[in-house]
Amino acid sequence: QMKLNEIGMEDVYYAILTPSQAALMLYGVAPPSPKETGSLMREIFVNKEKLLEEKYVKILEKSVELRKAIEHNEKKELGGKEIDELLKNGHAYLKRVKRLFTQIEKIRERQELVNIYDTVTLVLRDILKLEGVEKFKEAEMIDIINDKLVSTGKIPAKHFRTMQEIIEAKKGHDEKRLSTPEIEKIQLDSVSLIKFMVEYI
């Protein structure tokens, strides 16, 4: 009986709590307490991001409640049938959380792309300001860069191509048609572009 209680109180509990906390940390949340984990999973992944189904949060919360009940001697015994259900739910939960990790990584990739786009356009505005161009629409920026800086040899063509790729990638992101390899290429190419632009300024 002690062993059965231990499976419910420790083994299954930590098997689903730890990856839940890890998912929240991957998303960017500070490590939550066991008590907070369920409500945060619901708030972020069910309600805000629409990535996770409510039934999985209930599995997590039930496991936390069960551990508390056994720990405080409110529940004396766990039967074989209850253990079977715990293991079945735990397995389903882990399978779903594994997919959640992939979904979170995609969100972070896309957020990184938006950050790159914002950084590049901000620095380009500063460069154009140095060249005496202050007022222009965002849609005109790439043509002005080409005319003022690329055609005059101030910015190499390879960096100009990266600028165009970043702007196109942002459009792709907005239209949800950007793949992971494309995002990774942009992240890689943007490093040397941003370094060049900062040195230029």
Side-chain angles (χ1 to χ4, degrees):
Q1 187 59 58
M2 280 174 66
K3 187 60 191 169
L4 287 175
N5 286 4
E6 192 183 314
I7 290 169
M9 191 168 134
E10 302 296 330
D11 300 349
V12 177
Y13 169 77
Y14 281 114
I16 67 176
L17 176 71
T18 307
S20 304
Q21 291 171 318
L24 287 163
M25 287 160 69
L26 180 65
Y27 183 79
V29 176
S33 70
K35 193 180 173 183
E36 298 170 315
T37 304
S39 58
L40 275 172
M41 292 283 282
R42 180 178 287 108
E43 182 189 325
I44 294 167
F45 300 130
V46 177
N47 299 334
K48 184 184 172 188
E49 298 291 354
K50 317 282 187 217
L51 296 178
L52 188 67
E53 298 76 21
E54 171 70 19
K55 66 178 181 178
Y56 293 105
V57 178
K58 284 181 177 170
I59 290 172
L60 170 64
E61 287 176 333
K62 192 175 176 184
S63 176
V64 172
E65 283 163 19
L66 180 67
R67 184 185 194 272
K68 194 179 172 186
I70 295 169
E71 191 180 16
H72 294 156
N73 233 15
E74 291 162 16
K75 188 172 178 66
K76 309 281 186 198
E77 294 183 358
L78 263 184
K81 202 172 180 181
E82 287 175 296
I83 293 293
D84 284 344
E85 191 188 353
L86 274 172
L87 293 172
K88 183 185 167 190
N89 287 343
H91 179 72
Y93 187 88
L94 288 175
K95 197 175 172 185
R96 182 63 187 86
V97 167
K98 190 177 179 182
R99 187 155 61 89
L100 179 64
F101 269 89
T102 307
Q103 292 171 296
I104 297 166
E105 280 163 5
K106 282 185 179 172
I107 287 175
R108 286 182 69 89
E109 277 174 1
R110 294 180 195 287
Q111 187 54 53
E112 181 62 26
L113 176 67
V114 172
N115 292 343
I116 289 167
Y117 174 83
D118 289 345
T119 301
V120 168
T121 52
L122 187 70
V123 180
L124 283 175
R125 284 182 182 277
D126 287 343
I127 287 173
L128 286 172
K129 209 176 276 183
L130 285 175
E131 299 295 327
V133 184
E134 292 202 24
K135 290 186 178 178
F136 55 87
K137 291 176 183 171
E138 197 162 304
E140 302 169 333
M141 186 163 60
I142 206 74
D143 290 332
I144 297 168
I145 293 282
N146 190 25
D147 183 49
K148 293 267 182 189
L149 299 162
V150 182
S151 60
T152 56
K154 290 180 178 179
I155 288 183
K158 71 168 188 174
H159 288 317
F160 181 65
R161 281 194 298 275
T162 303
M163 289 173 202
Q164 289 175 305
E165 283 170 12
I166 290 168
I167 288 164
E168 277 306 305
K170 175 64 167 55
K171 284 181 194 170
H173 162 269
D174 293 343
E175 293 163 15
K176 294 183 169 43
R177 56 174 173 80
L178 209 62
S179 68
T180 297
E182 287 174 306
I183 294 172
E184 285 170 355
K185 185 182 183 302
I186 294 295
Q187 286 172 333
L188 204 64
D189 293 346
S190 68
V191 174
S192 60
L193 169 64
I194 292 166
K195 185 174 181 285
F196 170 82
M197 292 193 302
V198 171
E199 285 172 357
Y200 182 93
I201 289 173

